[in-house]
Short mmCIF file of all heavy atoms in Angstrom, two decimals:
data_model
loop_
_atom_site.label_atom_id
_atom_site.label_comp_id
_atom_site.label_asym_id
_atom_site.label_seq_id
_atom_site.Cartn_x
_atom_site.Cartn_y
_atom_site.Cartn_z
N THR A 264 -16.21 -10.97 9.19
CA THR A 264 -16.97 -10.05 8.33
C THR A 264 -18.46 -10.12 8.49
O THR A 264 -19.18 -9.47 7.72
CB THR A 264 -16.62 -10.39 6.83
OG1 THR A 264 -16.90 -11.80 6.59
CG2 THR A 264 -15.13 -10.15 6.53
N THR A 265 -18.93 -10.88 9.50
CA THR A 265 -20.34 -11.00 9.87
C THR A 265 -21.16 -11.66 8.78
O THR A 265 -22.36 -11.51 8.78
CB THR A 265 -20.96 -9.67 10.24
OG1 THR A 265 -21.07 -8.85 9.09
CG2 THR A 265 -20.18 -8.94 11.33
N VAL A 266 -20.53 -12.35 7.82
CA VAL A 266 -21.28 -13.04 6.75
C VAL A 266 -21.91 -14.31 7.36
O VAL A 266 -23.12 -14.54 7.22
CB VAL A 266 -20.33 -13.39 5.58
CG1 VAL A 266 -21.12 -14.26 4.55
CG2 VAL A 266 -19.83 -12.10 4.94
N GLY A 267 -21.06 -15.13 8.01
CA GLY A 267 -21.54 -16.27 8.75
C GLY A 267 -22.35 -17.26 7.89
O GLY A 267 -23.59 -17.46 8.13
N TYR A 268 -21.77 -17.93 6.93
CA TYR A 268 -22.46 -18.89 6.12
C TYR A 268 -22.96 -20.08 6.93
O TYR A 268 -23.97 -20.71 6.59
CB TYR A 268 -21.63 -19.35 4.95
CG TYR A 268 -21.44 -18.31 3.89
CD1 TYR A 268 -20.17 -17.84 3.57
CD2 TYR A 268 -22.53 -17.86 3.13
CE1 TYR A 268 -20.01 -16.83 2.59
CE2 TYR A 268 -22.37 -16.90 2.16
CZ TYR A 268 -21.12 -16.40 1.89
OH TYR A 268 -20.95 -15.45 0.92
N GLY A 269 -22.23 -20.42 7.96
CA GLY A 269 -22.63 -21.55 8.80
C GLY A 269 -22.12 -22.90 8.35
O GLY A 269 -22.51 -23.90 8.93
N ASP A 270 -21.31 -22.93 7.27
CA ASP A 270 -20.80 -24.22 6.84
C ASP A 270 -19.71 -24.72 7.77
O ASP A 270 -19.43 -25.94 7.81
CB ASP A 270 -20.25 -24.07 5.39
CG ASP A 270 -19.27 -22.93 5.23
OD1 ASP A 270 -19.22 -22.10 6.15
OD2 ASP A 270 -18.56 -22.90 4.21
N GLU A 271 -19.05 -23.82 8.47
CA GLU A 271 -18.05 -24.20 9.49
C GLU A 271 -18.44 -23.54 10.80
O GLU A 271 -18.56 -22.31 10.87
CB GLU A 271 -16.63 -23.74 9.06
CG GLU A 271 -16.13 -24.36 7.75
CD GLU A 271 -15.84 -25.81 7.89
OE1 GLU A 271 -15.67 -26.28 9.05
OE2 GLU A 271 -15.70 -26.47 6.88
N THR A 272 -18.65 -24.32 11.86
CA THR A 272 -19.10 -23.80 13.14
C THR A 272 -18.29 -24.52 14.23
O THR A 272 -17.90 -25.67 14.10
CB THR A 272 -20.61 -24.03 13.37
OG1 THR A 272 -20.87 -25.45 13.27
CG2 THR A 272 -21.42 -23.27 12.36
N PRO A 273 -18.06 -23.83 15.36
CA PRO A 273 -17.35 -24.45 16.47
C PRO A 273 -18.28 -25.42 17.24
O PRO A 273 -19.41 -25.15 17.39
CB PRO A 273 -16.95 -23.26 17.33
CG PRO A 273 -17.94 -22.22 17.04
CD PRO A 273 -18.33 -22.38 15.61
N HIS A 274 -17.71 -26.57 17.68
CA HIS A 274 -18.44 -27.54 18.45
C HIS A 274 -17.89 -27.74 19.83
O HIS A 274 -18.61 -28.19 20.72
CB HIS A 274 -18.44 -28.88 17.69
CG HIS A 274 -19.05 -28.79 16.29
ND1 HIS A 274 -20.44 -28.66 16.07
CD2 HIS A 274 -18.51 -28.77 15.06
CE1 HIS A 274 -20.66 -28.62 14.78
NE2 HIS A 274 -19.50 -28.67 14.16
N THR A 275 -16.63 -27.42 20.02
CA THR A 275 -16.00 -27.60 21.34
C THR A 275 -16.09 -26.27 22.12
O THR A 275 -16.35 -25.22 21.57
CB THR A 275 -14.55 -28.00 21.21
OG1 THR A 275 -13.84 -26.92 20.57
CG2 THR A 275 -14.39 -29.24 20.36
N ALA A 276 -15.92 -26.41 23.47
CA ALA A 276 -15.96 -25.19 24.29
C ALA A 276 -14.83 -24.21 23.93
O ALA A 276 -15.06 -22.99 23.90
CB ALA A 276 -15.86 -25.61 25.77
N VAL A 277 -13.66 -24.73 23.69
CA VAL A 277 -12.52 -23.89 23.33
C VAL A 277 -12.79 -23.17 21.98
O VAL A 277 -12.55 -21.95 21.82
CB VAL A 277 -11.23 -24.72 23.18
CG1 VAL A 277 -10.10 -23.84 22.76
CG2 VAL A 277 -10.93 -25.36 24.56
N GLY A 278 -13.37 -23.90 21.03
CA GLY A 278 -13.70 -23.30 19.76
C GLY A 278 -14.74 -22.19 19.87
O GLY A 278 -14.64 -21.19 19.22
N LYS A 279 -15.68 -22.35 20.76
CA LYS A 279 -16.69 -21.33 20.96
C LYS A 279 -16.08 -20.09 21.62
O LYS A 279 -16.51 -18.94 21.32
CB LYS A 279 -17.86 -21.88 21.80
CG LYS A 279 -18.67 -22.94 21.09
CD LYS A 279 -19.76 -23.53 21.94
CE LYS A 279 -20.51 -24.60 21.20
NZ LYS A 279 -21.59 -25.21 22.04
N ILE A 280 -15.12 -20.28 22.54
CA ILE A 280 -14.44 -19.15 23.17
C ILE A 280 -13.64 -18.38 22.09
O ILE A 280 -13.70 -17.14 22.05
CB ILE A 280 -13.56 -19.63 24.28
CG1 ILE A 280 -14.39 -20.18 25.41
CG2 ILE A 280 -12.65 -18.46 24.76
CD1 ILE A 280 -13.55 -20.80 26.51
N ILE A 281 -12.97 -19.11 21.23
CA ILE A 281 -12.20 -18.47 20.14
C ILE A 281 -13.14 -17.71 19.24
O ILE A 281 -12.84 -16.51 18.83
CB ILE A 281 -11.43 -19.51 19.38
CG1 ILE A 281 -10.37 -20.20 20.25
CG2 ILE A 281 -10.76 -18.88 18.13
CD1 ILE A 281 -9.69 -21.41 19.61
N ALA A 282 -14.28 -18.27 18.94
CA ALA A 282 -15.28 -17.58 18.11
C ALA A 282 -15.75 -16.31 18.75
O ALA A 282 -15.93 -15.26 18.10
CB ALA A 282 -16.45 -18.54 17.77
N SER A 283 -16.02 -16.36 20.04
CA SER A 283 -16.50 -15.19 20.78
C SER A 283 -15.48 -14.05 20.74
O SER A 283 -15.77 -12.89 20.52
CB SER A 283 -16.84 -15.56 22.21
OG SER A 283 -17.84 -16.56 22.24
N VAL A 284 -14.20 -14.41 20.97
CA VAL A 284 -13.09 -13.40 20.92
C VAL A 284 -13.01 -12.81 19.54
O VAL A 284 -12.84 -11.62 19.40
CB VAL A 284 -11.79 -14.05 21.37
CG1 VAL A 284 -10.62 -13.07 21.16
CG2 VAL A 284 -11.85 -14.54 22.82
N LEU A 285 -13.10 -13.64 18.53
CA LEU A 285 -13.02 -13.14 17.14
C LEU A 285 -14.21 -12.23 16.82
O LEU A 285 -14.03 -11.22 16.15
CB LEU A 285 -13.01 -14.30 16.16
CG LEU A 285 -12.96 -13.95 14.67
CD1 LEU A 285 -11.76 -13.14 14.30
CD2 LEU A 285 -13.03 -15.18 13.82
N MET A 286 -15.38 -12.60 17.30
CA MET A 286 -16.56 -11.73 17.07
C MET A 286 -16.39 -10.34 17.61
O MET A 286 -16.75 -9.35 16.98
CB MET A 286 -17.80 -12.41 17.64
CG MET A 286 -18.23 -13.70 16.93
SD MET A 286 -19.56 -14.49 17.77
CE MET A 286 -19.67 -16.03 16.83
N PHE A 287 -15.86 -10.26 18.85
CA PHE A 287 -15.72 -8.93 19.46
C PHE A 287 -14.52 -8.20 18.97
O PHE A 287 -14.58 -7.02 18.61
CB PHE A 287 -15.63 -9.09 20.99
CG PHE A 287 -16.95 -9.44 21.66
CD1 PHE A 287 -17.23 -10.71 22.09
CD2 PHE A 287 -17.94 -8.45 21.81
CE1 PHE A 287 -18.43 -11.01 22.69
CE2 PHE A 287 -19.15 -8.75 22.41
CZ PHE A 287 -19.40 -10.05 22.85
N GLY A 288 -13.32 -8.89 18.94
CA GLY A 288 -12.12 -8.22 18.56
C GLY A 288 -12.01 -8.03 17.06
O GLY A 288 -11.79 -6.89 16.58
N GLY A 289 -12.20 -9.06 16.27
CA GLY A 289 -12.06 -8.96 14.82
C GLY A 289 -13.04 -8.05 14.19
O GLY A 289 -12.70 -7.19 13.34
N ILE A 290 -14.32 -8.15 14.57
CA ILE A 290 -15.36 -7.29 13.97
C ILE A 290 -15.12 -5.85 14.33
O ILE A 290 -15.36 -4.93 13.52
CB ILE A 290 -16.72 -7.77 14.47
CG1 ILE A 290 -17.05 -9.12 13.86
CG2 ILE A 290 -17.81 -6.76 14.05
CD1 ILE A 290 -18.34 -9.77 14.40
N GLY A 291 -14.62 -5.58 15.58
CA GLY A 291 -14.36 -4.22 15.99
C GLY A 291 -13.26 -3.60 15.11
O GLY A 291 -13.45 -2.44 14.63
N PHE A 292 -12.16 -4.29 14.90
CA PHE A 292 -11.10 -3.74 14.08
C PHE A 292 -11.51 -3.65 12.63
O PHE A 292 -11.11 -2.68 11.93
CB PHE A 292 -9.83 -4.65 14.25
CG PHE A 292 -9.02 -4.30 15.45
CD1 PHE A 292 -9.04 -5.11 16.56
CD2 PHE A 292 -8.22 -3.15 15.44
CE1 PHE A 292 -8.29 -4.81 17.69
CE2 PHE A 292 -7.49 -2.84 16.58
CZ PHE A 292 -7.51 -3.68 17.72
N ILE A 293 -12.26 -4.60 12.10
CA ILE A 293 -12.69 -4.51 10.76
C ILE A 293 -13.66 -3.32 10.55
O ILE A 293 -13.65 -2.66 9.51
CB ILE A 293 -13.34 -5.86 10.30
CG1 ILE A 293 -12.29 -6.92 10.16
CG2 ILE A 293 -14.12 -5.71 8.98
CD1 ILE A 293 -12.82 -8.26 9.75
#
Side-chain angles (χ1 to χ4, degrees):
T264 54
T265 68
V266 175
Y268 287 117
D270 52 346
E271 299 289 343
T272 56
H274 301 286
T275 64
V277 176
K279 292 177 181 178
I280 293 174
I281 296 170
S283 300
V284 173
L285 177 60
M286 290 174 188
F287 286 104
I290 292 173
F292 276 103
I293 289 179

